[in-house]
Amino acid sequence: MAEPIRVVVTGAAGQIAYSLLYSIAKGDVFGKDQPIILILLDIPPMLPVLEGVVMELQDCALPLLREVIPTDKVEVGFKDIDAAILVGSMPRKEGMERKDLLKANVAIFKTQGSALDKYAKKTVKVLVVGNPANTNCLIASKSAPSIPKENFSCLTRLDHNRASSQVAMRCGVSSDNVKNVIIWGNHSSTQYPDVHHAKVTVQGSEMGAYEVVKDDAWLRGDFISTVQLRGAAVIKARKLSSAMSAAKAICDHMRDIWFGTKEGEFISMGVYAAGNTYGIPEDLIYSFPIQIKNKTWKMVDGLPINDFSRAKMDATAAELVEERDTALDFLGQ
């Protein structure tokens, strides 16, 4: 058996974590022969709830789960970890300005970034889920200068999966017959779900998504807004934010980091934009098409970008620049 790896999940008493922890502990993410020590980090008022989560994980009787450590202390939470899934963040409350939300989260992710810097392995892979995910990820990375920037990413896989599924349903195929959709930019309603490079397999033959869908107005209109606003639609219906689908996307994202993407396929994730060939400002965490091999990601370069796409890619970049500048002001205070 391999040595156990240490995985921390923050916001571990919350509803996304509740859908996520079982999949991790059972081996769906890091492999069926990889023992795991699971560290559950949350704020002090949530510790009693966390005890219940620990009991349930014990009661699952999972052979790969070697130990579960509940804690409210970052020095315990981030000690020698191999993977960090940062789900916990300050949620936006009624009447709260986006600025106030940013300020609260800068404080959280500065603390967690510094703790990663001080206590985690330098090879740690950090996935930021808590919103605003791109900017929180940037702040965490800037607060952990000794950990390579490439080790930080934020979750846009949920948007990616939403886009794939919309195309699949429209074409009457299963979702594994759709590949290479792209989410560009921010995990917000300005994100740009792009299917110009996507492929759909119908009755054994692979074709471009535009060719199969045969409805450009839908692909440039309702398809985009459905994906952009899907999170809000789920909240409206469930009175709670996406949890099952968010947890599944986190598993997909981390599994791909660990085991790589399939040959000829790319996925979407928010990564450090330095060196990109798409004219996106460099000091941002921005979602790009990504391929992964040997736990190292690279951007898919050289995809032709038309004027329609260009405008949408620039609009979401502009929002990220504004968010970043506001957040960096708070960071400097």
Side-chain angles (χ1 to χ4, degrees), residues 245-266:
S245 54
K248 158 66 164 56
I250 291 166
C251 292
D252 291 346
H253 179 117
M254 284 312 268
R255 191 188 317 104
D256 283 345
I257 287 180
W258 237 249
F259 296 106
T261 48
K262 291 188 190 123
E263 199 57 47
E265 291 192 24
F266 46 78

Side-chain angles (χ1 to χ4, degrees), residues 46 78 101 113-114 129 132 140 155 163 176 202 210 213 239 245 300 326:
M46 299 310 288
F78 293 120
L101 182 70
S114 306
V129 179
L155 190 75
D176 58 344
V202 184
Y210 269 81
V213 171
K239 310 290 178 269
S245 54
V300 177
T326 308

Side-chain angles (χ1 to χ4, degrees), residues 78-209:
F78 293 120
K79 181 87 180 117
D80 294 333
I81 52 166
D82 297 282
I85 302 170
L86 308 184
V87 181
S89 65
M90 165 75 81
R92 191 168 185 168
K93 299 199 173 83
E94 195 91 29
M96 198 179 197
E97 291 288 324
R98 196 170 170 88
K99 222 172 51 245
D100 302 330
L101 182 70
L102 265 174
K103 188 172 190 175
N105 280 301
V106 166
I108 293 169
F109 285 86
K110 180 184 181 177
T111 302
Q112 296 193 342
S114 306
L116 283 162
D117 199 54
K118 197 167 171 186
Y119 301 110
K121 290 182 181 170
K122 299 309 173 197
T123 51
V124 65
K125 303 293 186 194
V126 183
L127 167 58
V128 177
V129 179
N131 284 318
N134 299 57
T135 300
N136 288 345
C137 184
L138 187 68
I139 295 301
S141 171
K142 284 183 181 293
S143 306
S146 72
I147 295 170
K149 287 181 165 55
E150 299 71 41
N151 291 22
F152 286 83
S153 57
C154 83
L155 190 75
T156 56
R157 185 59 168 269
L158 177 52
D159 310 303
H160 179 100
N161 289 349
R162 286 166 172 164
S164 296
S165 179
Q166 287 296 318
V167 171
M169 289 190 297
R170 189 77 175 194
C171 297
V173 299
S174 61
S175 61
D176 58 344
N177 287 299
V178 178
K179 68 177 193 186
N180 299 357
V181 304
I182 302 168
I183 304 296
W184 298 99
N186 198 2
H187 174 63
S188 74
S189 58
T190 67
Q191 62 173 267
Y192 170 43
D194 176 11
V195 294
H196 287 94
H197 311 284
K199 299 275 185 266
V200 182
T201 303
V202 184
Q203 291 162 344
S205 69
E206 193 177 273
M207 294 185 284

Side-chain angles (χ1 to χ4, degrees), residues 99 102 106 321-331:
K99 222 172 51 245
L102 265 174
V106 166
V321 166
E322 191 186 343
E323 260 185 39
R324 175 200 67 197
D325 293 346
T326 308
L328 289 181
D329 284 347
F330 291 137
L331 192 62

